[in-house]
Amino acid sequence: MRWTFFFALALTACQPTSRQGAESSAREPQSGPPPAFSAANAYAAITRQVGFGPRVPGTEAQRRCAAWLQDTLRKLADTVYIQETKVRVTPQLQVPCINIIAAFQPLAQRRILLVAHWDTRPTADKDGKTPDAPMDGADDGASGVAVLLETARLLHAQKPAYGIDILLNDAEDYAQDYCLGTRYWSKNPHVRRYRAAYGIVLDMVGSANTMFFMEGTSRQHASGPMKLFWDVAASSGYSQYFSYAEPLGGTSYIEDDHTYINEVAGIPTFDIIGMQPNGSLMPHHHTTADNLSVIDKQTLQAVGQTLVNLLYGQPFKF
């Protein structure tokens, strides 16, 4: 993934909606086994997103998918915030950007931030045959969102004793300007003086034959929480997905949503992003091959259950 530093924003509307109250103080998580993550539910959520069509900012698919995400999370979270703004993607063009934030235990001081982008790239620019065609974004976007939606369902059923915020950011993958929704949120969080102990970005977490390495920028900013996640993956039986070793091509440094959360918001954040053994992104990245055929429920299960085991275990012990 690649970023250029060309960004502008318009006025935003941040609209919170509350389902119920929350506790005002954080406590240690209650004892008991973590709930079971459902890869089948996550796969269904990917299918639903893909069914809207390419979720490109400024399209009807963007509006319909945003409405579905908002409605889904309002049934699960304590409070949902909607940030609507416009971001400039060329000197002549602005597009709508809709960030959706779901808060669990919104009054708790100790918090963890979970992040995934829900938009798709306008064109499959890496596709050798049809580089101008739209793409489904089943893995690049929808998989991370699906894992967090299933996590939200579990958080609703079994509340954590601390705060969790799910940020579904928009306009991450538009043309040559990346992470525009996260750049906006990092400067304008959904609540004043927002802080979290750390953040986790999920990007391309659903395909077969995926490896997850300790990405270089994540090591610089959030090595402790990232190692904790990898340790939980190993103890959960998913070490074949989460490698402590370097990729064959050496440590990868990827500028992704976590870059701006680290550098602008000041929240230590690491990136879980699918790679090939040599450290390059998956072959379907930015191609029309990024469709439901690449999605693997076992990968979704490995990522999702590890995340749940972390959240319901000892997430601050790093």
Side-chain angles (χ1 to χ4, degrees):
M1 289 189 178
R2 192 164 49 87
W3 273 250
T4 55
F5 196 72
F6 180 75
F7 176 60
L9 52 89
L11 295 177
T12 184
C14 192
Q15 307 158 352
T17 58
S18 297
R19 185 177 53 79
Q20 63 183 39
E23 296 180 0
S24 59
S25 61
R27 303 186 306 272
E28 287 296 326
Q30 298 178 356
S31 60
F37 183 90
S38 171
N41 287 348
Y43 185 88
I46 296 174
T47 302
R48 185 66 183 270
Q49 293 172 79
V50 171
F52 289 112
R55 284 82 63 206
V56 178
T59 64
E60 180 63 23
Q62 180 205 32
R63 291 185 286 273
R64 292 174 58 226
C65 187
W68 173 71
L69 291 171
Q70 292 170 32
D71 182 64
T72 299
L73 289 171
R74 282 177 177 137
K75 296 174 183 176
L76 300 174
D78 294 319
T79 306
V80 172
Y81 300 85
I82 310 300
Q83 289 185 329
E84 296 187 67
T85 188
K86 288 188 176 181
V87 292
R88 188 174 297 280
V89 293
T90 72
Q92 296 79 29
L93 179 62
Q94 288 183 322
V95 297
C97 173
I98 306 170
N99 291 334
I100 304 165
I101 305 98
F104 296 82
Q105 305 285 48
L107 299 183
Q109 293 186 357
R110 200 163 48 166
R111 315 196 66 77
I112 293 174
L113 176 67
L114 309 177
V115 183
H117 77 89
W118 65 273
D119 62 304
T120 55
R121 191 164 179 80
T123 58
D125 59 293
K126 290 185 178 180
D127 198 298
K129 295 182 179 179
T130 56
D132 295 325
M135 49 183 283
D136 289 343
D139 193 23
D140 192 0
S143 65
V145 171
V147 168
L148 294 188
L149 290 179
E150 172 61 5
T151 301
R153 184 186 68 83
L154 299 176
L155 295 174
H156 171 73
Q158 185 176 333
K159 279 186 174 295
Y162 55 91
I164 294 176
D165 302 287
I166 293 176
L167 167 60
L168 302 184
N169 60 290
D170 197 4
E172 189 269 356
D173 220 0
Y174 201 102
Q176 298 304 310
D177 291 312
Y178 295 86
C179 301
L180 300 184
T182 296
R183 293 195 213 184
Y184 180 82
W185 179 88
S186 295
K187 292 183 178 179
N188 306 274
H190 57 287
V191 295
R192 294 183 61 189
R193 300 185 181 90
Y194 177 82
R195 297 301 306 166
Y198 60 91
I200 305 172
V201 172
L202 304 181
D203 197 356
M204 298 182 68
V205 295
S207 71
N209 303 313
T210 290
M211 291 290 297
F212 301 104
F213 296 99
M214 291 185 171
E215 183 268 339
T217 302
S218 301
R219 289 191 185 200
Q220 291 178 350
H221 293 280
S223 60
M226 181 173 62
K227 183 179 183 300
L228 175 62
F229 193 100
W230 260 244
D231 290 346
V232 172
S235 64
S236 302
Y238 300 120
S239 57
Q240 71 269 33
Y241 294 94
F242 293 87
S243 175
Y244 293 97
E246 298 286 334
L248 298 178
T251 300
S252 297
Y253 289 80
I254 297 176
E255 196 168 3
D256 202 350
D257 287 316
H258 68 307
T259 303
Y260 298 96
I261 299 173
N262 279 307
E263 297 180 357
V264 179
I267 298 170
T269 302
F270 61 94
D271 199 12
I272 300 175
I273 184 166
M275 297 181 184
Q276 300 179 70
N278 63 3
S280 60
L281 295 174
M282 298 302 289
H284 55 267
H285 180 244
H286 289 185
T287 74
T288 56
D290 186 2
N291 53 44
L292 286 172
S293 69
V294 305
I295 300 301
D296 180 71
K297 290 181 181 178
Q298 292 182 330
T299 305
L300 292 172
Q301 187 69 37
V303 175
Q305 192 63 60
T306 298
L307 177 61
V308 170
N309 290 351
L310 172 72
L311 296 178
Y312 287 94
Q314 294 183 312
F316 302 104
K317 302 297 184 182
F318 57 86

